[in-house]
Amino acid sequence: MPSIFCLGSAQSQNRRVTQTRTRLERGRGALGPALALVHTGRAPTRAVLTAELGVTRATAGAVAAELEALRLIRVDTRPSGPGGSQGRPSHRLAVDPEGPVVLAVQVHADGFRAGLVGLGGQVVVTAPGSMTVPADPAHVLGAVVEAGAGLLRDTGRVCVGVGLAVPSAVAQPEGTALNPLHLAWPAGAPVLQILTEQVALAGITGPTGTPVACFVGNDINLGALAEHRHGAGHGAQHLLVVATGHRGVGGALVLDGRLHTGSSGLALEVGHFTVNPQGRPCHCGLRGCLDVEVDPLALLEEAGRTPGPEGSLLEQATALLREEYADPAVRAAAHALIDRLGLGLAGLVNVLNPDRILLGGLHRDLLDADPERLRAVVADRSLWGRSGSVPLLGCALNHNSLVGAAELAWQPVLDDPLGVLVG
């Protein structure tokens, strides 16, 4: 009898150990999905987190506690409920504003911007830089990484990755800039390799003391990703984003939460959608592309203004539109660009059938200047617009390409928080 009792006890103990290990493994596997839910604002409370993960309240509590211990989120265990409410309010969850950050960097036709971005798309600090971008990518990438390293030193924050946004289609996974038309870089510049080298030279390491991972993507694609997770595109199933930055026009499509980049990263090159066959010559060799008909330089030229030495083309065009719209020449120029933009958007709507369109950069200002005119052009030229117009909104995030670059760098943490932060 004693031997049978001992055997039973051992079996029970082994079973308990196995169950405990299974719960721990299940809990660790839930860390990434839980963090992603808090990161995108889809789990503001522990009760919602429990339901979304499909786990017990105890498991959700343990997962939240682990993420808090990693300084990724904060848990408010004593939230105040609305007056007259019954029961104890669920613990509230939010990203930790003092937690780790990623270094996000962007290169554009007039220089660069570096920034530190936390979870939730929170921009902690940025540092712009104006320069003529030379043909050697290492020159500007070295400058922007140096600026970012300075931000990390000044703030004392822990860096977990680096993301770069560039105005070019980017081949993946090689990270080469295939067609940087508005930069002097050669086609096929190995920007990911160069970025990784510059980050190593700057001595930027992660929480475990090892070199941080680096990522690169197209600026408009990354802006669309940021808007879908944290901005005006939140909740859209088929989101189309069209924007103009310092030069040119770009587009991006988010389908069911994922960027549609095509087979090699070249999808949605909407800048070379022809809207004026007799128009301006484009860098691609054609005429009348959106890229040269609806960008900041086009507005300045259409209004009869010569670009000045102060400020970028985007800043000059935006100021012209906001401050001198009463001038008949400026209004006429804006109307011309709105009509061309509307024609391009209508063609894209006919092909893609999105459920929401976001406009960024100068296009957002054109929408603000005369929303009814732009919506009317899209509806008149679009098959779908005649039966029910697609919502047309402005992008909501400042520096959305920078935030999108940060999303690339945050992704490994969202996939495996312990693996990145602890090793």
Side-chain angles (χ1 to χ4, degrees):
M1 289 295 293
S3 62
I4 296 175
F5 178 78
C6 290
L7 179 61
S9 298
Q11 289 175 335
S12 298
Q13 186 176 13
N14 288 339
R15 185 162 50 249
R16 286 195 297 270
V17 170
T18 300
Q19 289 172 343
T20 300
R21 185 181 296 115
T22 300
R23 283 196 297 270
L24 290 173
E25 291 171 351
R26 186 183 302 120
R28 174 164 182 161
L31 286 177
L35 182 60
L37 288 167
V38 179
H39 171 63
T40 55
R42 292 176 291 157
T45 67
R46 192 178 68 178
V48 175
L49 183 68
T50 301
E52 289 289 333
L53 293 178
V55 298
T56 65
R57 187 172 65 175
T59 298
V63 167
E66 183 68 30
L67 292 175
E68 186 174 38
L70 292 171
R71 299 198 62 191
L72 295 171
I73 73 170
R74 287 185 176 177
V75 181
D76 182 358
T77 60
R78 304 181 64 182
S80 57
S85 61
Q86 299 294 319
R88 184 178 177 182
S90 179
H91 296 176
R92 297 201 64 82
L93 310 177
V95 299
D96 188 339
E98 303 298 326
V101 295
V102 299
L103 171 57
V105 296
Q106 180 181 10
V107 175
H108 52 73
D110 297 306
F112 62 82
R113 182 176 293 273
L116 304 184
V117 182
L119 282 166
Q122 297 180 349
V123 179
V124 177
V125 62
T126 70
S130 297
M131 66 184 301
T132 299
V133 179
D136 181 6
H139 185 82
V140 66
L141 291 180
V144 70
V145 168
E146 182 180 354
L151 296 177
L152 288 169
R153 287 192 299 270
D154 293 343
T155 60
R157 302 293 280 268
V158 175
C159 180
V160 296
V162 179
L164 166 66
V166 294
S168 168
V170 177
Q172 301 292 357
E174 300 88 351
T176 55
L178 297 176
N179 59 345
L181 297 179
H182 299 291
L183 301 176
W185 295 353
V191 290
L192 178 58
Q193 175 187 334
I194 297 170
L195 174 67
T196 302
E197 292 169 353
Q198 293 298 328
V199 168
L201 286 173
I204 299 174
T205 58
T208 62
T210 57
V212 294
C214 297
F215 305 87
V216 61
N218 169 263
D219 53 1
I220 304 301
N221 275 348
L222 297 181
L225 180 62
E227 291 287 343
H228 188 267
R229 290 186 176 181
H230 308 294
H234 196 69
Q237 292 298 308
H238 299 83
L239 176 67
L240 172 64
V241 178
V242 177
T244 178
H246 293 255
R247 288 293 307 275
V249 174
L253 185 66
V254 180
L255 300 176
D256 296 323
R258 294 182 176 274
L259 278 171
H260 174 69
T261 57
S263 61
S264 59
L266 290 172
L268 269 293
E269 283 291 308
V270 304
H272 303 290
F273 196 101
T274 301
V275 292
N276 184 10
Q278 308 305 317
R280 295 171 175 81
C282 182
H283 307 276
C284 70
L286 302 176
R287 280 186 173 273
C289 297
L290 278 173
D291 215 51
V292 291
E293 294 288 342
V294 199
D295 80 338
L297 182 60
L299 178 66
L300 295 171
E301 291 179 346
E302 198 77 30
R305 306 300 176 91
T306 301
E310 298 298 324
S312 68
L313 290 173
L314 177 59
E315 291 169 340
Q316 293 179 53
T318 298
L320 180 68
L321 197 58
R322 294 178 177 177
E323 299 170 9
E324 301 184 48
Y325 190 69
D327 184 323
V330 175
R331 188 184 300 112
H335 286 175
L337 264 70
I338 287 172
D339 291 346
R340 296 171 197 156
L341 177 60
L343 180 61
L345 292 177
L348 292 169
V349 167
N350 289 337
V351 173
L352 301 173
N353 188 23
D355 58 16
R356 196 178 309 174
I357 299 175
L358 300 186
L359 300 179
L362 183 64
H363 294 169
R364 178 174 58 181
D365 294 309
L366 290 170
L367 174 65
D368 291 341
D370 198 335
E372 295 308 314
R373 185 184 186 98
L374 181 54
R375 292 189 174 106
V377 175
V378 175
D380 183 59
R381 297 299 188 107
S382 166
L383 296 173
W384 303 107
R386 296 171 190 168
S387 59
S389 59
V390 181
L392 197 58
L393 307 170
C395 289
L397 302 176
N398 292 324
H399 312 307
N400 58 16
S401 292
L402 205 68
V403 174
E407 289 298 310
L408 291 183
W410 272 116
Q411 194 58 53
V413 182
L414 297 176
D415 292 336
D416 183 9
L418 282 175
V420 174
L421 297 178
V422 179

